[in-house]
Amino acid sequence: MAKKTPTVDTPDPRDLGFGSGFKKGHKRLINRDGSFNVTKSGGGLGAIHGYHIMLTTPWWQFLLYICIAYVLINLFFASIYMLVGVESLTGIPPREGFWGKYANAFYFSVQTFTTVGYGTLSPKGDIASLIASFEAMLGLMAFALATGLLYGRFSRPTARIAYSQQALIAPYENINSFQFRVINRRQNQLIELEARVALRYFEEVRGEVHQRFFLLPLEREKIALFPLSWTIVHPIDQDSPLYGRKQRDLEKMDVEFIVMVKGYDETFAQHVYSRFSYKAHEILWAAKFTRIYHSDEEGNLILDIDRINETYEVRLN
């Protein structure tokens, strides 16, 4: 009996880097916050980069890590002082019991670690003085590291581009279009903004389902200035993979519209990047975006960011 030749999925040259090994019904490739929907396993300790974690973790986690490290270091040195004996510390208030003496050692460690030195507590003897000197050096290094991390978080250029929660299938000239809206949430100036939209979908070939990618042509792929909102439009003409498709067709194809935006931030003098995605159930049919900017009595343009998702019903072509 002749061996059955295994079917090889021909790589899609338009693949964005996700490969073709996904099955239909898989969750989105790009999360709504712009992160990749990929959980890495293995790699060992070499895969952990503390500096990267401290720069990208949410602010509440960053501050929590700093506080935990601060308390643990002082608890560690307080334990060392307890082993040496609190009698080696002068100026401590009289306290009875283990926890009272441990509290004295902890507060002395805090003063030494932060190099505050109120003048009431001080080490006595060579051993306690040697430990205090190493703790003071560690405190200087730790605060320098924390300050650097804090500065790195503030100085790291990031794009705060807001996307409409839903994409639209809306009329465009004498055809229909796929469109969504973006706004710069910050007061900084973004220029030379570029957008790319890729369609990820599944199709059946000879009884097998394969993942495909298609880079959607846009009405306008680049704008020079970005002071207001930008509605990014893909005309659904006869060359579009969306041509003639209905909502149930997009759901059957398990489509995902992957959005990639790049712009130049004048404040940081660097390029910034942003990502987003839309699934089939996040598309609103037969609707258009309302205008969200107007002129005041003095002739100034007012952009209402909170109205980015406002739409009204229309008739499709």
Side-chain angles (χ1 to χ4, degrees):
M1 180 182 296
K3 290 186 177 181
K4 183 179 179 180
T5 304
T7 303
V8 179
D9 187 10
T10 304
D12 190 343
R14 295 165 296 192
D15 177 20
L16 301 177
F18 290 100
S20 57
F22 292 94
K23 296 182 179 180
K24 191 175 180 180
H26 187 271
K27 292 182 179 180
R28 64 193 331 130
L29 299 179
I30 301 292
N31 295 318
R32 302 284 281 189
D33 62 356
S35 61
F36 299 120
N37 189 19
V38 177
T39 301
K40 297 183 180 180
S41 62
L45 295 177
I48 301 175
H49 197 295
Y51 181 72
H52 178 266
I53 293 175
M54 294 300 286
L55 284 185
T56 57
T57 190
W59 271 103
W60 70 270
Q61 290 186 10
F62 172 77
L63 297 176
L64 180 62
Y65 292 154
I66 294 296
C67 292
I68 291 176
Y70 177 78
V71 172
L72 290 179
I73 291 175
N74 283 288
L75 288 175
F76 172 76
F77 277 98
S79 301
I80 295 179
Y81 293 126
M82 286 292 292
L83 292 176
V84 175
V86 291
E87 297 79 11
S88 61
L89 307 177
T90 61
I92 59 175
R95 291 188 180 182
E96 299 296 332
F98 174 82
W99 293 113
K101 295 179 180 180
Y102 195 91
N104 287 333
F106 179 82
Y107 294 137
F108 173 76
S109 174
V110 169
Q111 293 187 31
T112 304
F113 184 75
T114 58
T115 67
V116 172
Y118 290 117
T120 56
L121 301 178
S122 62
K124 181 176 64 176
D126 293 337
I127 297 179
S129 298
L130 185 63
I131 297 173
S133 63
F134 276 105
E135 184 180 7
M137 180 184 67
L138 178 63
L140 292 174
M141 296 174 61
F143 280 102
L145 177 61
T147 303
L149 291 172
L150 188 63
Y151 174 77
R153 291 180 65 92
F154 274 107
S155 62
R156 187 168 64 97
T158 55
R160 285 294 181 264
I161 296 178
Y163 296 80
S164 57
Q165 289 301 306
Q166 291 181 305
L168 307 181
I169 298 296
Y172 172 79
E173 296 183 352
N174 58 343
I175 57 177
N176 295 320
S177 67
F178 168 83
Q179 57 183 246
F180 57 94
R181 184 156 61 184
V182 295
I183 292 178
N184 181 17
R185 293 170 54 191
R186 289 179 172 167
Q187 298 298 324
N188 63 327
Q189 301 300 322
L190 294 179
I191 61 174
E192 299 297 333
L193 212 66
E194 300 179 20
R196 298 178 65 190
V197 180
L199 173 66
R200 192 282 300 257
Y201 64 98
F202 290 87
E203 67 174 356
E204 185 174 338
V205 180
R206 296 189 298 274
E208 292 188 359
V209 178
H210 300 281
Q211 180 178 241
R212 300 301 185 200
F213 291 90
F214 190 92
L215 191 61
L216 299 178
L218 302 179
E219 171 203 33
R220 181 184 300 177
E221 297 181 352
K222 179 187 296 187
I223 57 175
L225 305 174
F226 190 39
L228 301 174
S229 62
W230 180 20
T231 301
I232 300 175
V233 178
H234 162 64
I236 304 178
D237 54 20
Q238 294 183 354
D239 297 326
S240 172
L242 303 179
Y243 184 77
R245 305 284 188 180
K246 304 297 182 182
Q247 184 173 6
R248 61 179 179 273
D249 298 324
L250 299 187
E251 293 175 352
K252 184 179 180 180
M253 295 164 61
D254 194 17
V255 300
E256 180 178 1
F257 296 86
I258 300 174
V259 182
M260 297 158 285
V261 177
K262 179 180 74 172
Y264 187 81
D265 191 326
E266 288 186 333
T267 303
F268 294 99
Q270 293 185 33
H271 284 97
V272 292
Y273 301 87
S274 178
R275 295 175 297 272
F276 203 75
S277 75
Y278 295 97
K279 296 283 286 184
H281 66 276
E282 296 165 343
I283 300 176
L284 184 61
W285 291 70
K288 292 193 70 174
F289 289 113
T290 59
R291 179 177 294 181
I292 58 175
Y293 57 88
H294 64 277
S295 299
D296 61 11
E297 296 179 354
E298 298 178 356
N300 300 312
L301 277 176
I302 307 298
L303 176 65
D304 192 347
I305 298 178
D306 294 333
R307 297 173 56 200
I308 183 175
N309 299 309
E310 285 190 7
T311 60
Y312 60 94
E313 294 183 0
V314 293
R315 184 188 298 272
L316 294 177
N317 293 319

